Amino acid sequence: MKLAIIVGHTEADEGALSVPMNVQEYTWNKDLADRILTVDSEVERKVFLRDHVGISGAYRASDDWGADLSVELHFNSADSKSATGSAVLYFPGSKKGKRFAGHIFEGMSGALGLRDWPKGTGGVVTPFQASGKAQRGLTSLRAGRAPATLLEPFFGSNPDDCATAQANKSAYATSVVRAAEQFFDA
């Protein structure tokens, strides 16, 4: 039972800037990854960075480690400060990926209390559902052997989402591990 934790983006390209939190995705999610490692569980976990190896290198390392599942950590951003919600992306057609995404979304939404994004999807979406033709996250979701998920728990551009995420970051970290336990116990 091994869960790979991939930190989205890199030290050189940190991803979206959350002005309300004054932090970019990479830094916020490295801390989240550390919190995920401290949750008491029998699920073995290891953090993989995309620094100097890119997406394919991080997932290749995850495969070499023998990951059974993977999560890639991100947060969303939009031009509108009112954009809100949580989503878990999975690879189209992956039944295991979709099932794992469902467990994660249930726990994540319980920890953060944010509605599904895009609204009406239930928060478990394919890259096409999340971003249309852009197919955000598709490269990551198909890069490794293990069923993969890409987490977009909140909007870093929304001050209320940010306050919620900061206040509940440890609960969110715990929810990721509990989702893996539920997946493995099923």
Side-chain angles (χ1 to χ4, degrees):
M1 301 185 317
K2 292 184 173 184
L3 173 65
I5 305 156
I6 314 286
V7 176
H9 302 286
T10 65
E11 192 171 44
D13 178 13
E14 292 199 46
L17 169 66
S18 170
V19 172
M21 294 189 301
N22 192 33
V23 68
Q24 288 179 273
E25 285 181 84
Y26 179 79
T27 300
W28 198 88
N29 284 311
K30 276 184 71 176
D31 176 67
L32 176 64
D34 289 342
R35 291 177 191 223
I36 291 170
L37 292 177
T38 67
V39 175
D40 185 38
S41 177
E42 292 185 17
V43 174
E44 191 174 346
R45 288 149 282 165
K46 186 172 181 179
V47 175
F48 297 90
L49 302 177
R50 292 167 32 178
D51 294 313
H52 312 294
V53 297
I55 292 170
S56 61
Y59 280 90
R60 188 170 32 259
S62 167
D63 286 348
D64 290 347
W65 178 63
D68 298 300
L69 295 171
S70 70
V71 294
E72 186 167 318
L73 308 176
H74 289 269
F75 61 71
N76 233 327
S77 188
D79 291 336
S80 170
K81 290 181 182 178
S82 65
T84 185
S86 297
V88 180
L89 284 64
Y90 68 95
F91 187 76
S94 172
K95 291 178 183 177
K96 289 181 179 180
K98 184 176 183 178
R99 184 165 58 88
F100 183 41
H103 289 303
I104 292 174
F105 183 78
E106 180 181 331
M108 181 169 60
S109 64
L112 300 178
L114 299 174
R115 68 166 177 78
D116 61 333
W117 174 86
K119 191 174 182 178
T121 61
V124 176
V125 296
T126 66
F128 182 79
Q129 291 169 307
S131 60
K133 291 181 183 178
Q135 302 250 358
R136 174 193 347 206
L138 187 61
T139 301
S140 293
L141 294 171
R142 68 176 171 206
R145 176 195 52 77
T149 55
L150 191 148
L151 313 186
E152 299 277 11
F154 65 96
F155 276 79
S157 50
N158 180 318
D160 293 335
D161 274 20
C162 291
T164 295
Q166 283 294 96
N168 298 292
K169 194 171 188 179
S170 290
Y172 168 41
T174 299
S175 77
V176 172
V177 176
R178 299 298 175 246
E181 290 171 343
Q182 287 177 328
F183 180 88
F184 290 128
D185 287 344

